[in-house]
Amino acid sequence: MRLCERTAHDLRGMLVRGEVTSREITESVLDQIGKVEEKIGAYLTITPEQALAQADAADARIRAEQGNRCGGQCGGVGRGGDDATGQAPGILGIPVAMKDNICTRGIRTTCGSRMLENFVPPYDATVVKKLRDAGAVIIGKTNMDEFAMGSSTENSAFHITRNPWDCQRVPGGSSGGSAAAVAAGEAIMALGTDTGGSVREPASFCGVVGVKPTYGRVSRYGVVAFGSSLDQVGPLAKDVEDAALLLGVLAGLDGCDSTSVPKPVPNYASALDRGIKGLSIGVPTELFGAGLDPRVRKLVEDGISAMEGRGARTVQVSMPHAEYALAAYYIVATAEASSNLARFDGVRYGHRAAGSEDITSLMKRSRSEGFGAEVKRRIMLGTYALSSGYYEAYYAKAMKARTLLKRDLEAAFEICDVLVSPTVPFLPFKIGEKFDDPLSMYLADVYTTTANLTGVPAISVPCGLSDGLPVGIHLVGRLFDEETLFSAARALEEACGVARMRPPAACGCGDVEEGRNGR
Amino acid sequence: MSQDYEVVIGMEVHAELAAESKVFCRCRTEFGAPPNSQTCPVCLGMPGALPVLNKKALEHTMRAALALNCTIAEYSKFDRKNYFYPDLPKAYQISQYDLPIGRDGYLDIDVDGKAKRVRIRRVHLEEETGKSVHAGDDIISATQSLMDFNRCGIGLMEIVSEADIRSADEARAYLSKLRSVLLAVGASDCKMEEGSMRCEANVSVMPVGAKEYGTLVELKNIASFRAVHRAIQYESARQIQLIEAGGRVTRETRHWDDAKGQTAFMRSKEEAHDYRYFPEPDLVPLLIDRSWVEEMRRNMPELPDAKAARYAREWGLPQCDAAQIADSAALAGFFEATVALHPDGREAAKWLLGDVSAALNATGIELSASKLTPEHLAEMLKMIASGMISGKIAKSVFEETFNSGAAPAKVVEERGLSQISNTSELEAVIARVLEANPGPVADYAAGKERAITFLVGQVMKETRGRANPGEVNRILKEKLSH
């Protein structure tokens, strides 16, 4: 297996044992990018020189640490020699890709928008700083739906990203670039952001693991806001162990984000092998109803049976207000977005329309030119939902629905430890198929938005292929209980035996037919 | 003004917090720093930046609210007030909407000796905006506008009164009292000339005895206490005139033009913004601990009213003098330092409100910036009390001290101004005067007692005012009666 196809924990072991260098891993990833990026289009910006320099720095750090640890005599420790030994964090020297709405000092951060086409942030997001401190190698910035609005990565202002499993299909969104990069070996792991399912949905479509941590678990500082009360940064990885490893680096209180929570960060990796014997898994009846593709349903039900086979108990639970989640989500998210995106007015940074005579036309024209259709649509929706006279009917109602959903979950978690459902009700769709029908596209988020509205953690794990396309199972946990989620996900992953699914495009020889190009 | 109308006024005052850093970031807040030198991603509203509340800003606001007798909310939150403006980087202001930090308080004022209570509706915390600088002679002819974001994100308190104020005089007294309270608790430096205190007045008129208020007009851009008074007088007269002429006052916002002494139409209610307030999701709600509030209440500095009462009680000052000193943090501090060195409050107050205030007014110097110290004043009062210098000499000593900062004792010594009470020295001078003025001496002998005044004057002249007048009188009488 080539280095770029391996997991981070695998590579970490090899690094510690001196079998490989970070430079070799990074070169392997860059080489893969050279082979497949033209087909996939996962990236908006690739930073090879910086990545190689960081890889060399990581190699030096690994050598220094090995020298300190055992006088250069031992061959390293078990699983990645991670934090438990007090040594280097587990992602030292590992190439990681970042969604392009996460600010990187000195590297342009576009949010997939013309508005920020030339925006180079003067600072690093806290998650980026954490990765840098941990010695990760930043490989580049991945494509995304403009300002994280969309479920297909077709809304990027620059190009579309293709699903490595079928290049005529979308990779999901909005973190489609990150998911595709990990699936295709163009990064070992990646960061995405999840406002309504934007990590989990593309993870499901691309056959990788995606996590939306508990709200407040990971700092949002430096992440360009979409829906502030919903956004969380989350890992995209090849398997559950890698996802746990990466979240361990990202998580924790940040003095720059008041909504980050002062709770100690557990060692997620050590929770992985708890098993699921005796774990109670709730199956919400409402989430297996109409609108669910039978092929998806089949694989998800198989996954649930497999978990039962490993000792988990399933119980039927009810989420009586689940049907309002999507509507509530689209009110709250667009309301917050309309406010968050108001700062893009052409005055201080970003796109400025040429030749405006006065400030009003400068702002109007800059925004008209800088934003794409989906972003404008959502700004309009959100502005309407907040305007006086409609606030009570929309925003206030949505907040009430949010409370009801929280109560649904509290009740469900009285009788179960984890909730299970499909991640997305349908298989990855064809490029262009839903592009002109935003409402049908919004349905992709129908199962995922509840976690964002209520703050609970959730994960999407591949559970198999249907017609050669990946399907993900969605697990939802209690607030701040990512550990149970990871242990359940790990058991599911083993039971389904899909931890090593490799998409055809990953080997660099997949046939690509011409699909819809751009928009 | 017509006798038949009553003016109804509510005030909205914005005061910048006297904190060293901004309310949601750590940028400095120094006034007059080079443009955009005190900014960061947070106060510039850069993509991804997030606000974090500065505890000091919250404390200042709570202290102000307590001083204004408000109830401090147990649960408060921040909201976004959305509107586009070039000097508002995020295109929303973090403010407070339905759950302000303080509410339902009051402020007692005094107008022409009449006490009056003005209710305070709310005290809330928000952030300042930046400043547009128009390149050109004026905003109309300017070809470009430049942005200075130094002010952006400075903590700003908004204090809203109920419509309890009934005249321009009351409005001015309210502002003045509010300023003294905010200064006393150190919440703001309240410099209207630097824009750190700004006010808006909501003015309406109604027939005397009416049950419903008239249509209110909001007055903006009022930059001084004097302007408040003028603006309200102008606007209430305008409204009365309009009604008398059969017209109707419309709900609108008007701009006060201080140069022209007029208000001018700015915008109507229909053009008012829809701010689309909603809870600020980047800041967690504030849960204000009761014990914290109680501790703060216990540690409140003495407020102007209590201070004035104490001055009147301890030093026997007339009520209005006591209030005048207590209302000014600078005067009060100076007063207390002076009486600590020389325990004669009445004299200290007399000087502070008299010569000291006059000198400050004449030179335009702030007390805190003047060369005069409490030590100086105390030293001078001591010299007067001991008879070392006369009250008249003291005035010229004060002048010198005020201008040069030289210690009064030194001035007296260098200029040889100490009073002559030495009997033999005085007797010698008196002997010379008596000899040189036989006429008045004869007059006195003939029963014209007032002739002695002339002789005293001559002695003072001979001694350049240094002779102790009491002693001179005594010796003269003694000599003349022989």
Side-chain angles (χ1 to χ4, degrees):
Chain A
M1 202 187 326
R2 291 152 62 214
L3 292 173
C4 68
E5 292 170 36
R6 291 180 177 270
T7 60
H9 58 86
D10 226 10
L11 293 168
R12 176 63 191 158
M14 294 168 72
L15 280 167
V16 170
R17 289 190 297 272
E19 295 164 12
V20 71
T21 63
S22 172
R23 174 171 267 272
E24 286 164 354
I25 300 169
T26 305
E27 280 170 346
S28 169
V29 168
L30 290 172
D31 179 56
Q32 177 73 347
I33 289 173
K35 282 191 182 131
V36 305
E37 175 60 11
E38 209 179 320
K39 283 187 301 185
I40 305 294
Y43 283 95
L44 288 172
T45 304
I46 303 164
T47 51
E49 294 86 6
Q50 292 177 42
L52 288 170
Q54 286 165 11
D56 290 341
D59 284 329
R61 211 168 127 182
I62 291 167
R63 279 195 302 275
E65 277 165 10
Q66 279 172 337
N68 289 341
R69 189 161 59 233
C70 47
Q73 287 169 15
C74 82
V77 288
R79 181 191 290 150
D82 57 30
D83 316 58
T85 62
Q87 299 302 324
I91 59 164
L92 175 58
I94 304 295
V96 182
M98 309 207 177
K99 189 174 180 178
D100 207 30
N101 58 350
I102 300 172
C103 285
T104 38
R105 186 181 189 131
I107 304 172
R108 73 173 191 146
T109 299
T110 69
C111 284
S113 180
R114 293 271 171 232
M115 187 58 96
L116 289 177
E117 189 167 3
N118 300 310
F119 176 64
V120 179
Y123 62 104
D124 275 332
T126 298
V127 288
V128 174
K129 196 175 171 301
K130 284 181 169 228
L131 290 192
R132 287 195 201 276
D133 291 348
V137 172
I138 296 168
I139 210 85
K141 307 295 293 288
T142 57
N143 198 17
M144 58 184 285
D145 285 305
E146 184 176 5
F147 284 104
M149 295 173 183
S151 305
S152 66
T153 317
E154 292 166 292
N155 290 321
S156 166
F158 303 106
H159 59 252
I160 54 171
T161 297
R162 293 165 187 280
N163 191 320
W165 290 90
D166 177 349
C167 289
Q168 293 185 43
R169 290 178 190 268
V170 302
S174 64
S175 312
S178 285
V182 172
E186 293 187 83
I188 304 301
M189 52 219 294
L191 297 190
T193 61
D194 191 313
T195 305
S198 277
V199 162
R200 293 160 287 157
E201 190 249 7
S204 175
F205 276 11
C206 292
V208 297
V209 174
V211 181
K212 200 280 300 183
T214 307
Y215 187 78
R217 211 11 139 185
V218 178
S219 169
R220 292 184 292 116
Y221 186 79
V223 180
V224 183
F226 164 13
S228 307
S229 74
L230 309 158
D231 296 342
Q232 273 290 281
V233 175
L236 284 142
K238 288 174 181 147
D239 67 4
V240 175
E241 185 171 342
D242 271 11
L245 190 66
L246 187 50
L247 182 61
V249 178
L250 303 176
L253 177 68
D254 177 17
C256 292
D257 176 0
S258 330
T259 62
S260 79
V261 173
K263 274 182 184 283
V265 179
N267 187 334
Y268 296 124
S270 71
L272 288 173
D273 294 327
R274 275 190 199 164
I276 52 169
K277 207 161 237 141
L279 205 70
S280 173
I281 296 184
V283 184
T285 40
E286 292 86 353
L287 304 191
F288 287 83
L292 177 58
D293 186 311
R295 294 170 294 179
V296 175
R297 175 200 283 266
K298 167 82 172 60
L299 280 174
V300 172
E301 283 172 351
D302 289 350
I304 294 171
S305 303
M307 283 198 279
E308 283 179 316
R310 295 199 160 224
R313 202 159 49 78
T314 55
V315 286
Q316 294 289 317
V317 296
S318 180
M319 292 281 294
H321 302 96
E323 61 174 308
Y324 304 113
L326 195 68
Y329 167 77
Y330 273 93
I331 298 291
V332 174
T334 56
E336 292 183 359
S338 73
S339 172
N340 284 331
L341 269 57
R343 70 186 64 196
F344 303 105
D345 56 9
V347 173
R348 294 163 310 281
Y349 46 73
H351 178 75
R352 176 185 286 194
S356 292
E357 289 287 309
D358 60 80
I359 189 67
T360 309
S361 75
L362 173 82
M363 288 180 173
K364 277 186 182 171
R365 289 171 52 193
S366 298
R367 290 169 67 79
S368 298
E369 292 170 13
F371 289 137
E374 182 62 26
V375 171
K376 286 177 187 162
R377 185 151 48 227
R378 296 202 194 189
I379 290 173
M380 295 293 288
L381 259 170
T383 304
Y384 185 79
L386 285 178
S387 52
S388 60
Y390 298 100
Y391 182 94
E392 287 299 321
Y394 296 104
Y395 186 81
K397 269 264 162 55
M399 294 306 267
K400 284 175 187 161
R402 218 170 161 171
T403 303
L404 294 174
L405 280 164
K406 269 182 197 152
R407 290 193 192 139
D408 277 5
L409 277 180
E410 279 161 15
F413 285 128
E414 295 268 306
I415 54 169
C416 69
D417 303 302
V418 171
L419 288 170
V420 66
S421 75
T423 307
V424 193
F426 38 72
L427 292 168
F429 48 88
K430 288 219 161 113
I431 289 165
E433 189 184 326
K434 294 179 194 283
F435 188 76
D436 298 319
D437 185 2
L439 288 181
S440 83
M441 181 101 81
Y442 293 173
L443 286 175
D445 302 330
V446 70
Y447 297 131
T448 48
T449 48
T450 299
N452 303 82
L453 286 166
T454 58
V456 296
I459 188 168
S460 177
V461 187
C463 63
L465 296 176
S466 180
D467 299 339
L469 296 170
V471 170
I473 282 191
H474 190 232
L475 299 175
V476 174
R478 293 188 180 93
L479 286 172
F480 294 100
D481 188 13
E482 280 88 359
E483 287 166 284
T484 302
L485 210 52
F486 280 131
S487 60
R490 164 67 157 238
L492 175 67
E493 178 179 74
E494 283 174 359
C496 294
V498 289
R500 282 287 185 270
M501 294 196 316
R502 279 169 62 221
C507 61
C509 55
D511 292 328
V512 185
E513 286 169 44
E514 276 308 303
R516 186 192 161 107
N517 238 331
R519 47 173 168 147
Chain B
M1 190 189 298
S2 167
Q3 289 294 307
D4 309 318
Y5 291 89
E6 194 169 8
V7 186
V8 177
I9 304 156
M11 301 288 282
E12 292 178 20
V13 173
H14 283 94
E16 278 185 6
L17 297 180
E20 282 185 1
S21 52
K22 295 185 178 181
V23 57
F24 298 122
C25 64
R26 290 178 185 168
C27 285
R28 311 283 298 170
T29 59
E30 199 187 311
F31 180 77
N36 296 309
S37 62
Q38 300 183 142
T39 59
C40 73
V42 174
C43 56
L44 288 178
M46 295 289 263
L50 295 172
V52 175
L53 178 63
N54 175 348
K55 194 175 169 192
K56 272 264 163 55
L58 176 61
E59 277 178 6
H60 277 312
T61 312
M62 284 169 62
R63 228 190 312 273
L66 283 173
L68 296 170
N69 307 292
C70 287
T71 306
I72 306 292
E74 288 186 40
Y75 178 88
S76 182
K77 69 173 169 68
F78 289 98
D79 299 274
R80 287 190 187 174
K81 180 179 180 180
N82 295 279
Y83 62 101
F84 285 97
Y85 208 71
D87 62 16
L88 187 70
K90 300 188 294 292
Y92 58 81
Q93 181 188 30
I94 302 177
S95 182
Q96 297 194 287
Y97 183 60
D98 54 345
L99 299 170
I101 286 165
R103 68 194 320 158
D104 302 331
Y106 60 85
L107 182 66
D108 288 330
I109 59 172
D110 191 280
V111 185
D112 299 330
K114 242 180 72 191
K116 158 131 196 176
R117 175 161 290 186
V118 177
R119 289 169 300 155
I120 306 287
R121 183 181 300 168
R122 59 186 282 152
V123 176
H124 78 238
L125 175 57
E126 59 188 32
E127 58 180 340
E128 248 315 358
T129 61
K131 222 165 65 180
S132 306
V133 183
H134 303 289
D137 294 336
D138 57 70
I139 190 167
I140 304 298
S141 69
T143 52
Q144 48 180 334
S145 295
L146 308 170
M147 294 297 145
D148 180 2
F149 293 106
N150 278 352
R151 198 180 68 179
C152 198
I154 289 179
L156 194 62
M157 241 178 326
E158 182 171 335
I159 300 149
V160 183
S161 84
E162 297 289 349
D164 287 349
I165 298 167
R166 289 292 176 275
S167 70
D169 285 350
E170 286 185 11
R172 188 169 52 190
Y174 169 81
L175 277 187
S176 160
K177 189 59 172 289
L178 181 61
R179 181 172 182 273
S180 67
V181 168
L182 296 182
L183 284 171
V185 297
S188 172
D189 64 14
C190 296
K191 290 182 179 162
M192 285 191 93
E193 68 281 9
E194 289 182 9
S196 69
M197 183 176 179
R198 308 189 287 273
C199 73
E200 291 164 30
N202 294 319
V203 180
S204 67
V205 296
M206 61 179 182
V208 169
K211 288 206 173 75
E212 270 183 38
Y213 292 157
T215 306
L216 72 84
V217 167
E218 196 180 349
L219 301 184
K220 284 191 186 288
N221 310 98
I222 311 176
S224 69
F225 286 10
R226 187 172 157 265
V228 169
H229 198 261
R230 293 175 69 208
I232 290 171
Q233 281 197 321
Y234 175 90
E235 178 59 22
S236 47
R238 185 190 72 87
Q239 291 183 20
I240 291 164
Q241 207 171 33
L242 192 64
I243 295 167
E244 299 264 278
R248 273 181 53 208
V249 177
T250 45
R251 172 98 196 236
E252 64 192 30
T253 300
R254 295 177 74 85
H255 157 88
W256 168 250
D257 186 329
D258 205 44
K260 288 189 185 151
Q262 291 175 356
T263 62
F265 175 81
M266 249 173 97
R267 62 173 175 262
S268 71
K269 195 191 173 192
E270 285 68 37
E271 296 163 48
H273 287 107
D274 179 354
Y275 289 118
R276 291 174 286 116
Y277 277 101
F278 75 103
E280 164 60 285
D282 288 333
L283 289 164
V284 288
L286 290 171
L287 297 167
I288 300 173
D289 189 54
R290 287 301 90 183
S291 60
W292 187 30
V293 176
E294 287 319 309
E295 189 194 324
M296 199 172 277
R297 201 192 298 276
R298 274 197 306 278
N299 295 327
M300 282 289 270
E302 188 179 36
L303 295 178
D305 282 352
K307 204 169 260 182
R310 181 165 62 82
Y311 291 168
R313 195 174 64 241
E314 285 182 2
W315 303 105
L317 301 191
Q319 187 61 47
C320 62
D321 288 3
Q324 215 181 322
I325 293 174
D327 278 354
S328 156
L331 279 179
F334 203 100
F335 175 79
E336 306 223 357
T338 306
V339 295
L341 298 165
H342 177 72
D344 188 343
R346 287 184 81 106
E347 276 300 306
K350 207 177 84 192
W351 275 85
L352 277 174
L353 297 177
D355 291 61
V356 176
S357 294
L360 293 172
N361 284 339
T363 54
I365 295 171
E366 294 272 332
L367 183 53
S368 58
S370 87
K371 290 176 179 153
L372 186 77
T373 68
E375 287 74 19
H376 291 153
L377 184 57
E379 193 175 282
M380 219 172 66
L381 296 180
K382 264 183 203 163
M383 289 192 287
I384 298 168
S386 70
M388 194 179 181
I389 54 171
S390 65
K392 201 172 157 205
I393 291 284
K395 282 183 183 289
S396 71
V397 172
F398 168 76
E399 202 176 319
E400 166 90 33
T401 298
F402 185 86
N403 290 328
S404 71
K410 217 173 157 210
V411 175
V412 168
E413 193 198 316
E414 278 175 2
R415 289 172 43 189
L417 293 174
S418 65
Q419 193 158 261
I420 305 166
S421 303
N422 179 304
T423 315
S424 58
E425 208 175 319
L426 285 178
E427 279 180 345
V429 179
I430 288 169
R432 280 203 302 278
V433 168
L434 292 179
E435 205 180 305
N437 297 284
V441 172
D443 287 350
Y444 185 81
K448 286 191 181 171
E449 291 211 353
R450 282 176 56 200
I452 200 166
T453 317
F454 174 78
L455 294 168
V456 171
Q458 288 307 107
V459 175
M460 295 311 277
K461 198 175 159 190
E462 281 270 308
T463 58
R464 285 177 296 135
R466 293 169 58 212
N468 180 327
E471 277 296 282
V472 173
N473 257 301
R474 189 183 61 78
I475 298 171
L476 262 179
K477 277 185 183 161
E478 196 186 293
K479 298 276 179 196
L480 289 170
S481 63
H482 283 157

